[in-house]
């Protein structure tokens, strides 16, 4: 029989029974037993005010209502009175969804939203920094077959909260989520284990709002990973499968977390599309604003990371997570007494440091940008596994500089201050503009040494116009020991054919020089530049190199020498018995193949 109020109906209803409601309600007051409250008829029953969160253990369902107030369920007290509640909201409309439609701070057993429509208020233009569904501490969250429309005035559809102490499992499946800056936010800070399943959703126009937004463009994504996620030691995994991004939606994940990138959380990733294009790798549609990392610490810039290194000890590795733009800069880390080495490496070999300089003159007006890192005595500065699409030089004043496993597409030129410089197993494939370099000399390495230096260039591949240019300057005390061994040079220049030189030695030679076991396809392997002076203690070894047809083993700079034969004779005489030349190539086999030719 009908009664006048929901409260009266609850008193006489048994657990599990359904209470049908007609008319228009101002609010739904407290319910203290597991029942279903359902709007009667084919059209949803209007509720103009809010809903008091039930203090019941078991399943309480609200079905077939149109919630027409600015806030539907809002509980801001961190009480334990609702710990056993299993709340279900089914086939309901939220007609003023610009703010907190379902906002539940206390712990509950579960929240299910099924086949509901969340529609922003018509005519609203004021940006709302809110989330439509925000269960702070639900043990289970299920949101399925629902439509969320933020109208480009609401920040996000779903915030999964801090998480239940026992861990939270969330399933977000089969929904349409459109016109927000964020689809789903993950920010678990509990102590438990959390699992989030995001499957089969349609994300439409997840894009930066033009209505007084507080976000940056790069913060826009279907899933936003908050900076506090995991701070109390919880573990979170995400399955992101069969989701479609359309319209302006271009990014699946954004992480502002210093410890967790999207790749760290997502364990299942398949069947996702942007438009008609299937995205195979999560990194192709995610953005981590922390440019670099040191272990589990993340930093927004290389500058921040270098500052942090000042307090570190041992062997420190800075990992560059994404392409970043750089310019000339010096970092003085000499006060980090416990530092034994500093390595700057790429998250993968495709990560680039971009200077934006294509073409430079070693003495200006356009200089090659230099990143100089001064370390404590005995500490090595290592650059490993990065790509450099244009001109950039590394240095370590007074110390040791090692560059290995990198790809260089521009030039490096300058007056390095490191006392030991080593290039190991790099690829130099010139893709710059040669005429922008001094006298068209696009050398991948062009050094002027005005202090004693050990220079080693081994195991590299050089493809382009030029090889290695070393000019030793200063007085007799400046001694450069130079080893250019076990490299592959493939050099061509139709305009300046005689300048395709693997190793060019300029000004003075003081110290031990070796050019051994190289493959050379160029005009000349070793070029003694016109007028080069040979120190009384200088030695040179040119042995066991493989020369392609037409390649000279050694000689002088024929483009600026009147009598190159006389000049090279002078140089050979000045060396005396301190020059060793072996023109015949002897194979060095490894696994049945010659390592040189």
């Amino acid at each position: 029989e009908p009664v006048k109020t929901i409260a009266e109906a609850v008193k006489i209803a048994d657990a599990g029974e359904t209470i049908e409601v007609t008319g228009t309600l101002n609010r739904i007051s407290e319910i203290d037993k597991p029942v279903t409250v359902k709007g009667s008829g084919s059209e949803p029953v209007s509720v103009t005010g809010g809903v008091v969160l039930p203090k019941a253990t078991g399943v309480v369902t609200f079905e077939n209502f149109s919630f027409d107030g600015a806030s539907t369920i809002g509980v801001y007290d961190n009480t334990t009175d609702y710990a056993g509640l299993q709340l279900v909201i089914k086939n309901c409309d939220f007609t003023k969804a610009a703010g907190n439609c379902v906002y539940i701070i206390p712990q509950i057993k579960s929240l299910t939203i099924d086949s509901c429509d969340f529609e922003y208020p018509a005519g609203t233009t004021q940006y709302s920094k809110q989330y439509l569904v925000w269960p702070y501490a639900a043990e289970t969250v299920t949101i399925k077959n629902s439509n969320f429309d933020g109208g480009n005035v609401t920040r996000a559809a779903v915030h999964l909260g801090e998480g239940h102490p026992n861990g939270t499992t969330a399933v977000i499946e089969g929904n349409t989520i459109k016109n927000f800056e964020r689809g789903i936010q993950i920010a678990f800070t509990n102590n438990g284990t959390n699992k989030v399943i995001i499957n089969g959703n349609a994300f439409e126009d997840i894009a930066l709002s033009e209505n007084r937004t507080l976000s940056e463009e790069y913060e826009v994504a279907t899933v936003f990973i908050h900076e506090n996620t995991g701070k109390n030691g919880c573990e979170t995994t995400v399955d992101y499968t069969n989701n479609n991004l359309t319209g302006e939606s271009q990014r699946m994940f954004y992480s502002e977390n210093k410890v967790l990138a999207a790749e760290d959380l997502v364990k299942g990733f398949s069947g996702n599309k942007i438009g008609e294009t299937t995205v195979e790798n999560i990194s192709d549609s995610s953005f981590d604003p922390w440019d670099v990392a040191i272990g589990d610490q993340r930093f927004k810039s290389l500058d921040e990371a270098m500052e942090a290194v000042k307090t570190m000890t041992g062997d420190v590795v800075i990992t560059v997570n994404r392409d970043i733009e750089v310019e000339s800069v010096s970092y003085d880390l000499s006060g980090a007494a416990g530092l034994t080495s500093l390595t700057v490496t790429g998250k993968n070999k495709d990560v680039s440091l971009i200077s934006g300089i294509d073409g430079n003159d070693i003495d200006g007006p356009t200089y090659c940008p230099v990143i100089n890192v001064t370390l404590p005595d005995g500490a090595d500065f290592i650059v490993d596994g990065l790509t450099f699409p244009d001109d950039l030089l590394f240095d370590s004043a007074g110390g040791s500089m090692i560059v290995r496993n990198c790809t260089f597409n521009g030039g490096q030129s300058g007056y390095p201050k490191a006392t030991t410089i080593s290039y190991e197993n790099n690829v130099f494939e010139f893709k710059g503009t040669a005429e922008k370099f001094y006298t068209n000399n696009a050398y991948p390495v062009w050094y002027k040494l005005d202090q004693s230096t050990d220079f080693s260039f081994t195991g590299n591949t050089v493809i382009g116009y030029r090889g290695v240019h070393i000019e030793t300057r200063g007085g007799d005390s400046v001694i450069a020991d130079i080893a250019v061994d076990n490299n592959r040079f493939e050099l061509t220049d139709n305009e300046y054919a005689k300048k395709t030189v693997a190793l060019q030695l300029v000004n003075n030679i003081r110290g031990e020089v070796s050019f051994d076991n190289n493959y050379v396809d160029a005009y000349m392997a070793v070029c003694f530049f016109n007028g080069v002076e040979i120190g009384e203690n200088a030695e040179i070894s040119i042995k066991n190199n493989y020369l392609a047809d037409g390649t000279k083993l050694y000689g002088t700079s024929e483009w600026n020498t009147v009598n190159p034969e006389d000049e090279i004779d002078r140089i050979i005489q000045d060396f005396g018995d301190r020059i060793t030349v072996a023109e015949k190539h002897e194979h060095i086999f490894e696994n049945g193949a010659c390592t040189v030719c």
Side-chain angles (χ1 to χ4, degrees), residues 157-185:
V158 178
H159 191 318
L160 292 175
E162 297 177 356
H164 192 277
N166 296 333
T168 292
T169 298
V171 178
I172 302 173
E173 189 169 43
N175 305 285
T176 296
I177 299 174
K178 64 181 181 180
N179 299 324
F180 295 96
E181 293 183 335
R182 307 173 187 176
I184 302 155
Q185 180 154 308

Side-chain angles (χ1 to χ4, degrees), residues 214-225:
L214 301 177
S215 302
E216 300 291 342
E217 188 281 330
Y218 58 77
E219 296 178 296
V220 170
T222 63
V223 179
F224 184 103
I225 302 169

Side-chain angles (χ1 to χ4, degrees), residues 441-453:
N441 281 325
Y443 278 91
V445 177
W446 177 310
Y447 279 168
K448 292 187 177 182
L449 304 177
D450 52 15
Q451 63 176 20
S452 293
T453 305

Side-chain angles (χ1 to χ4, degrees), residues 19-36:
I19 300 167
E20 291 196 12
V21 179
T22 61
T24 298
L25 304 179
N26 291 328
R27 68 197 297 265
I28 298 178
S29 56
E30 184 178 302
I31 294 171
D32 60 1
K33 63 178 65 170
V35 294
T36 295

Side-chain angles (χ1 to χ4, degrees), residues 299-413:
F299 305 90
K300 287 186 176 180
S301 68
L302 187 60
D303 289 348
E304 283 188 9
M306 288 292 184
E307 185 65 27
V309 173
K310 292 180 178 179
T311 62
M312 297 180 179
T313 60
D315 298 328
V316 175
V317 177
I318 295 177
T319 301
V320 182
N321 292 321
R322 68 175 46 78
D323 296 353
I324 58 175
E325 296 181 359
V326 295
E327 56 187 16
S328 287
V329 63
S330 291
Y331 300 106
D332 186 356
L333 309 182
S334 58
L339 198 64
T340 52
S341 73
L342 175 64
T343 300
V344 178
T345 187
K347 185 176 183 180
N348 56 62
K349 291 195 72 172
D350 294 329
V351 174
S352 297
L353 297 189
I354 303 166
S355 73
I357 301 298
D358 174 22
N360 67 83
D361 293 343
I362 193 167
D363 292 313
T366 301
Y367 296 92
C368 181
V370 182
I371 295 179
N372 177 60
V373 181
T374 304
L375 299 177
D377 290 344
D380 294 331
F381 178 38
I382 303 167
V383 178
D384 187 11
L386 283 159
T387 293
F388 306 96
D390 36 32
D391 308 343
L392 186 62
L393 176 67
F394 288 92
D395 199 7
S396 184
S400 169
M401 175 77 239
I402 301 170
V403 181
R404 64 193 183 199
N405 307 316
C406 293
T407 299
F408 292 88
N409 298 133
Q412 301 172 84
S413 67

